[in-house]
Amino acid sequence: MAEDLKTLDDLKSVVTPAAEVEAPREPVRDDLGRAYATGKRKDAVARVWIKPGSGKVTVNGKEINAYFARPVLQMILRQPFQVAGVVDQFDVQATVKGGGLSGQAGAVKHGISKALQLYDPSLRGALKAAGFLTRDSRVVERKKYGKAKARRSFQFSKR
């Protein structure tokens, strides 16, 4: 076979392009018409289901106002819908474990974003441009031996 190929044109005729155009993404939904995704942030992990509805958001069985009392955290959860332009069109049911409230809000936001792009692949561009599909990998730095915390040294005294 190697002897037959003398020029680049011969090579081009042998090699066939695998996929000229990517196949369009298909929506991923379960039997109940819901899209599921897992979101993560710091130590928090959120399991999120979205389905068409009136915009009701439930986190661990509580309304968004009861679970995330701070307006900033509620705003974080609404960002993916605003960027995608589908405000009050989807109901969200989420269960979240681990971390604190800020990390949990970020995890639910990540899960909502991933579930939206699975439900409707046309929303992927807007969500990706806003950076909502990327997991924020920043976590707390571990404590090192010989140090009071991760980097802080013990207090030094000359006498």
Side-chain angles (χ1 to χ4, degrees):
M1 172 101 184
E3 300 83 36
D4 299 340
L5 301 175
K6 303 282 187 203
T7 65
L8 287 176
D9 293 328
D10 296 338
L11 182 63
K12 287 179 185 174
S13 65
V14 173
V15 176
T16 58
E20 289 286 326
V21 179
E22 281 189 31
R25 294 178 182 265
E26 294 292 323
V28 180
R29 300 178 192 148
D30 64 4
D31 298 337
L32 301 175
R34 304 176 301 180
Y36 168 79
T38 304
K40 297 182 180 180
R41 170 83 168 95
K42 293 187 179 180
D43 278 340
V45 179
R47 301 183 309 161
V48 179
W49 291 267
I50 65 164
K51 63 180 181 180
S54 60
K56 181 180 173 187
V57 179
T58 307
V59 180
N60 288 353
K62 297 181 181 178
E63 289 293 319
I64 183 177
N65 300 334
Y67 195 83
F68 294 114
R70 281 187 273 163
V72 172
L73 300 179
Q74 296 171 21
M75 180 196 71
I76 287 173
L77 260 64
R78 292 191 184 102
Q79 283 178 335
F81 297 113
Q82 293 168 348
V83 167
V86 291
V87 178
D88 294 337
Q89 292 182 19
F90 289 96
D91 288 343
V92 177
Q93 181 182 3
T95 58
V96 62
K97 293 182 179 178
L101 284 179
S102 176
Q104 287 184 351
V108 174
K109 170 185 161 183
H110 185 226
I112 289 172
S113 302
K114 287 172 61 176
L116 276 173
Q117 69 103 28
L118 287 173
Y119 190 88
D120 186 3
S122 65
L123 302 176
R124 179 176 169 83
L127 293 168
K128 189 163 177 64
F132 292 164
L133 298 178
T134 305
R135 188 225 196 269
D136 191 351
S137 61
R138 296 176 295 168
V139 293
V140 178
E141 189 175 353
R142 78 172 190 89
K143 182 194 178 301
K144 279 73 169 192
Y145 58 88
K147 296 282 187 179
K149 293 174 30 176
R151 298 188 180 203
R152 191 197 184 307
S153 299
F154 292 110
Q155 184 172 352
F156 176 76
S157 173
K158 204 166 190 176
R159 288 172 217 172

